[in-house]
Amino acid sequence: MASLNVGGLGEYLREQRRNAQLSLRQLADAAGVSNPYLSQIERGLRKPSAEVLQQVAKALRISAETLYVRAGILDAERDRDEVETRAVILADPTLNERQKQVLLQIYESFRKENGFGGTEDGEVDPVGPEPGTEGSISKGGRPAERPGREAGGDDNGPRRTAG
């Protein structure tokens, strides 16, 4: 297991807390940890458990995986840039949950297309596209119409009418 860089983790947590415009006390309450304990983590004096990091990540609305990597708990088999990109998408307060998932699906499909996708154990990534839904996503988050078809169903071909 990698050595723990507690100081770097603390600086990162402080930066994320400030970006979220939370006081130390507010974050401690939201994460369910004591104010002094969280302060010690931020100052690099304490080594938090994975459970505490998960609670803090949830309160900050960032990826727990990002904190695990920064804390040295998780060996970064995955590319650090990928983890951080996912964390930024998930933490964006201007996007709703559906939009975040669609963005992550698109991101993962591009990574797979470029030979960087997939999971370590070969299972399908739960954030990836569902079978049969490969294709572009329209502005509204729905699959785009097939080329040559307009939204009204007109494919410029002969049309049968009833009666």
Side-chain angles (χ1 to χ4, degrees), residues 74-127:
L74 180 67
D75 287 336
E77 290 288 324
R78 288 182 155 183
D79 184 19
R80 175 172 267 166
D81 290 339
E82 175 195 0
V83 172
E84 290 179 355
T85 300
R86 289 174 179 275
V88 167
I89 291 169
L90 291 171
D92 189 332
T94 64
L95 301 175
N96 65 39
E97 293 305 314
R98 183 185 58 78
Q99 291 168 330
K100 291 175 185 180
Q101 291 306 311
V102 169
L103 241 162
L104 288 171
Q105 289 174 357
I106 293 168
Y107 176 67
E108 185 61 29
S109 70
F110 283 147
R111 287 185 52 81
K112 286 179 183 175
E113 183 178 309
N114 294 333
F116 295 99
T119 58
E120 293 175 11
D121 55 8
E123 290 182 13
V124 176
D125 188 342
V127 180

Side-chain angles (χ1 to χ4, degrees), residues 30-106:
V33 297
S34 74
N35 191 29
Y37 182 62
L38 186 57
S39 174
Q40 289 172 346
I41 294 170
E42 280 194 2
R43 290 181 290 145
L45 302 175
R46 287 284 185 155
K47 175 182 175 180
S49 68
E51 182 179 320
V52 167
L53 288 175
Q54 184 176 22
Q55 291 170 259
V56 170
K58 185 175 180 182
L60 287 171
R61 300 190 64 161
I62 62 174
S63 165
E65 185 177 28
T66 301
L67 294 184
Y68 297 157
V69 169
R70 289 199 175 258
I73 293 173
L74 180 67
D75 287 336
E77 290 288 324
R78 288 182 155 183
D79 184 19
R80 175 172 267 166
D81 290 339
E82 175 195 0
V83 172
E84 290 179 355
T85 300
R86 289 174 179 275
V88 167
I89 291 169
L90 291 171
D92 189 332
T94 64
L95 301 175
N96 65 39
E97 293 305 314
R98 183 185 58 78
Q99 291 168 330
K100 291 175 185 180
Q101 291 306 311
V102 169
L103 241 162
L104 288 171
Q105 289 174 357
I106 293 168

